[in-house]
Amino acid sequence: MVKMSSIPTVKLSNGLDMPALGLGSSAQFGGYGHEATVCALKDCGMRLIDTAARYYTEESIGKAIKDSGIPRKDLFVVTKLWFTNMGYESGKKALQASLKALGLEYVDLYLIHWPVCPDGTADPVKCRQETWKAMEESYEAGLCKAIGVSNYEISHYEELKAMKCKVMPQAAQLEFHVMQDPNREIIKYCRDNNIVMMAYSPYAAGKAFALPKVKELAEKYKRTAGQIMLRWIVQHGIVPIPKTAKVERAKENAQVFDFELSKEDMAVLDSIHKESSVKICGAPS
C-alpha cells in the first residue's frame, strides 16, 4: 500500500494544491476499470482523478469515489467541457450536467477539452472567449475550484489575454511523453505564464514501451518501463495522468516518488524524440 503522503502536490496559481500524479479514465480507449480505480483511490494514495464528458466515465467515477470511502475534501476531481458544448450558455449547462453525472457539488478543476468550436460557428475566437467567460463565472460561483484548458496552443492563450480575462488558465493538459520534445515552445509558454501542466498519453499510447533506451533504464533502476516514463515526466515538473484498467498497473503507477533519475539519464530520455517522434492525439471534428 502507498501512503497518501508519498504523493506530493503542486501549487496552482490561485494557491490550490493539486496532486503531482493522477489517474486517467478514458473508457473508449480501454483506460477505465472500476476495481482499478477504487484500488488507486483506496489503497494506492491516489487523490487526483481525471475524467471528461467525452470519456463517458463521469457516472462511473462518481460511483468509484463513493465505493472508495475517501472523503470528498481529500480528492481532486478533474473533468472537461467537450467542444460541442462550447459557448456561454451551453458551457454552463455542460458543467451542471457533469456535476450531476459525478454526483458532486463541485469539481476541483474544470477544463476546456479542445480549442475547437461546433460546426458552423461563425466566430471561433468569440466562441472560445465566451466559453472562457462562462468558466470564470463558474469558478467565481464555487462550482469549480480552478479552471484551465487542454490542447491549447500559444495563439489560444493570447486570445484570452486579448479579452482581458479575469483569470488565466491555472492548469493545462497536453500530450507529453518521451517521444516528443520536452522543451517545445508551448511548454516554455506555460511555465512562463505560471500554468501547471498535466500530461496525458504519458506512454505515447503504448508505443514508448518498446523503446530500447526506456527498457535499458528500467533495468538499470529496477523499475518498470512505465515507472521510468512517469518519473521522467514528474522531474520535468509536469503532472502525469496515466490511465489503466488493471489493479497491478494502478499500484505501479503510484510508486514513482521513491527514486530519482540522474541528470544524465534525463538527458537520454529528453533526446529520444530526435530519433523516434510521434503525436498521438488530433483535434476532433
Side-chain angles (χ1 to χ4, degrees), residues 133-148:
K133 182 180 179 182
M135 300 276 284
E136 289 180 324
E137 291 181 5
S138 295
Y139 172 61
E140 291 171 352
L143 298 176
C144 36
K145 301 298 183 182
I147 51 177

Side-chain angles (χ1 to χ4, degrees), residues 45-96:
M46 288 279 195
R47 293 296 178 263
L48 189 164
I49 187 159
D50 177 80
T51 184
R54 180 62 174 176
Y55 297 166
Y56 307 112
T57 54
E58 289 176 324
E59 288 187 9
S60 298
I61 294 301
K63 184 176 186 304
I65 289 172
K66 290 180 180 178
D67 290 350
S68 75
I70 303 298
R72 172 65 184 95
K73 64 181 179 62
D74 294 335
L75 297 172
F76 195 101
V77 181
V78 184
T79 194
K80 310 177 197 71
L81 168 72
W82 190 235
F83 84 97
T84 53
N85 290 314
M86 292 285 278
Y88 180 78
E89 292 296 341
S90 54
K92 285 194 168 185
K93 290 179 181 178
L95 175 55
Q96 291 291 347

